[in-house]
Amino acid sequence: MHRIVVTGGAGFIGSNFVRYALGAYPDVHIVNVDKLTYAGNLDNLKDLDPARHTFVHADIANAEAMAKAMDGCDAVVNFAADSHVDRSIMEASDFIATNVKGVHNILEAAKKLGTKRVLLVSTDEVYGSIAKGSFKETDPVGPRNPYSASKAGGELLGLSYFHTFGVPVTITRGSNTYGPYQYPEKVLPLFVTNAIDGEPLPLYGDGKNVRDWLFVEDHCRGIDHALRHGAPGEIYNIAGENERENIVLTTKILQETGRDESLIKPVTDRPGHDRRYSIDASKLRALGWEPRMNWDDGIALTIRWYRDNEWWWRKIKSGEFREYYKRQYGQRG
Ligand code: NAD
Ligand code: TYD
């Protein structure tokens, strides 16, 4: 694989993936297609070698732009998405436009061009909540918010293009991901940056919802592993195997940033808030992947990164984000 199209590569996981792939494979060239929504950020790509990384400012729903970007490439890895559950609850149309229609457009381009591999990056949220045990890839999907429903829609279209047209689509379902360059609307970078500033941490509901935390480089290696060793038509779970209640995550962040629990602010719960996510990654493990980062090191490294890179997140938090924050948290009490 020499030429890979990455979509959404100016976002959190996409930019980490581009950096990972360029580091791991000296002969790879990445064509990075990104619309630069509020979550896309060229600052995430500053250190990349322009000889091996071409940035294309385009929407994945633009058929002409995608056909041009994908022409002559060996694979396409789709990260482009509207990705935040709370925003999807406020207004879902962009989620449908990108996560369903945009994916459809990539599939059409792949069908016409005969693209050799199409990897759709998806999420454990498509399964919905599970009280005990962990979901396997053979379990049915049961998404319960507009974001996860739109991701499930994109996945199902992908599988339909595999079965109907033979487009070689592989799907990964990663768990909650954390690490450098994550937009501070998601709980972990939001709480870390608020804690650094001594601002309240708005904890939803009783704080006992459980997420499985996966370090971003482990997620990127998992996606790359499924791309190179996985089979078309197959789905692979990528788990952090590191489940924590939100209150435990919050307390850890407060300890690591030297703050006390008075900063915790219980607020009104998210509507339809999934209680627990848990997935079984034994299928990808059987192909030789495993998560490597342990929780204590991952959280320490991540907090250090946000401390050392205030230039990166202060710019974000003083822009459009302020309006969003007011709208999202203003009425939560
Ligand atoms: P992100 O919001 O940080 O980045 C998304 C990127 O996609 C941005 O650069 C944005 O500009 C771009 N984009 C959005 N709409 C686009 C469009 N129409 N055309 C082109 N580019 C567009 O998201 P992320 O957290 O990096 O997530 C990346 C992918 O991984 C998503 O598909 C998401 O569903 C999936 N995922 C995320 C997590 C997580 O915890 N963050 C976990 C599992 C799966
Ligand atoms: P989030 O980072 O939005 O990811 P997801 O909803 O995709 O799992 O939220 C992670 C968990 O943190 C989820 O249970 C909701 C909770 N949460 C809060 O308690 N407060 C917040 O301000 C946010 C953004 C999330």
Side-chain angles (χ1 to χ4, degrees):
M1 261 178 232
H2 296 300
R3 197 172 174 85
I4 301 178
V5 172
V6 167
T7 69
F12 164 48
I13 309 176
S15 63
N16 277 281
F17 181 84
V18 172
R19 199 169 287 105
Y20 168 78
L22 291 176
Y25 305 104
D27 57 342
V28 153
H29 188 101
I30 303 280
V31 179
N32 184 348
V33 181
D34 198 295
K35 185 182 171 183
L36 297 179
T37 66
Y38 75 92
N41 187 348
L42 292 177
D43 281 349
N44 299 2
L45 305 167
K46 262 187 170 166
D47 53 329
L48 300 181
D49 176 0
R52 299 182 55 212
H53 170 249
T54 306
F55 183 75
V56 179
H57 185 194
D59 188 331
I60 59 167
N62 177 335
E64 214 178 301
M66 281 316 291
K68 196 167 161 209
M70 284 166 59
D71 194 10
C73 78
D74 303 306
V76 57
V77 183
N78 181 57
F79 291 90
D82 263 289
S83 68
H84 192 40
V85 173
D86 291 322
R87 290 195 194 241
S88 80
I89 293 168
M90 286 198 277
E91 168 57 54
S93 37
D94 285 349
F95 290 74
I96 312 303
T98 295
N99 304 359
V100 183
K101 290 189 177 165
V103 168
H104 175 238
N105 191 43
I106 291 173
L107 296 168
E108 272 295 308
K111 183 176 99 177
K112 285 189 191 121
L113 293 165
T115 306
K116 288 192 223 88
R117 295 307 297 266
V118 178
L119 191 136
L120 301 181
V121 176
S122 190
T123 165
D124 62 357
E125 302 196 21
V126 297
Y127 292 112
S129 194
I130 187 166
K132 279 196 187 131
S134 305
F135 285 118
K136 282 182 168 294
E137 293 84 349
T138 44
D139 287 317
V141 292
R144 296 175 359 117
N145 62 60
Y147 161 68
S148 52
S150 69
K151 292 297 291 184
E155 280 193 12
L156 292 174
L157 273 172
L159 292 174
S160 79
Y161 268 61
F162 168 74
H163 291 294
T164 310
F165 305 114
V167 176
V169 174
T170 302
I171 290 165
T172 57
R173 293 178 177 156
S175 62
N176 278 68
T177 304
Y178 72 102
Y181 298 104
Q182 186 168 28
Y183 190 88
E185 66 189 351
K186 304 289 187 334
V187 74
L188 202 142
L190 177 69
F191 281 15
V192 169
T193 55
N194 279 14
I196 289 173
D197 279 346
E199 297 285 338
L201 313 189
L203 186 63
Y204 296 167
D206 65 2
K208 291 193 171 169
N209 297 63
V210 173
R211 297 294 184 264
D212 171 24
W213 292 98
L214 170 65
F215 189 65
V216 67
E217 196 175 313
D218 285 332
H219 194 166
C220 293
R221 277 191 306 101
I223 292 165
D224 183 56
H225 210 81
L227 178 68
R228 288 164 192 275
H229 306 288
E234 294 294 324
I235 299 168
Y236 299 91
N237 289 340
I238 307 178
E241 300 175 356
N242 178 40
E243 292 180 28
R244 306 275 175 232
E245 285 184 347
N246 290 337
I247 182 66
V248 173
L249 165 75
T250 306
T251 310
K252 175 88 172 158
I253 290 171
L254 289 170
Q255 273 166 2
E256 294 281 327
T257 51
R259 300 287 183 184
D260 67 53
E261 294 186 10
S262 62
L263 280 188
I264 300 176
K265 186 181 178 202
V267 296
T268 313
D269 208 353
R270 172 188 282 172
H273 195 176
D274 285 332
R275 191 64 168 169
R276 174 172 174 261
Y277 293 142
S278 183
I279 49 174
D280 178 334
S282 46
K283 186 171 172 184
L284 193 60
R285 272 182 169 274
L287 295 182
W289 171 88
E290 61 180 4
R292 288 181 188 156
M293 182 62 83
N294 76 61
W295 179 233
D296 286 333
D297 292 344
I299 217 65
L301 184 158
T302 302
I303 291 178
R304 206 177 318 122
W305 188 86
Y306 283 93
R307 277 199 189 286
D308 292 346
N309 290 281
E310 292 196 7
W311 68 273
W312 183 86
W313 58 267
R314 287 208 184 278
K315 224 193 276 185
I316 296 172
K317 281 188 113 175
S318 60
E320 181 269 357
F321 186 83
R322 284 158 78 111
E323 273 311 301
Y324 161 76
Y325 202 75
K326 255 190 254 160
R327 259 186 301 142
Q328 181 57 235
Y329 295 95
Q331 298 147 3
R332 276 203 135 100

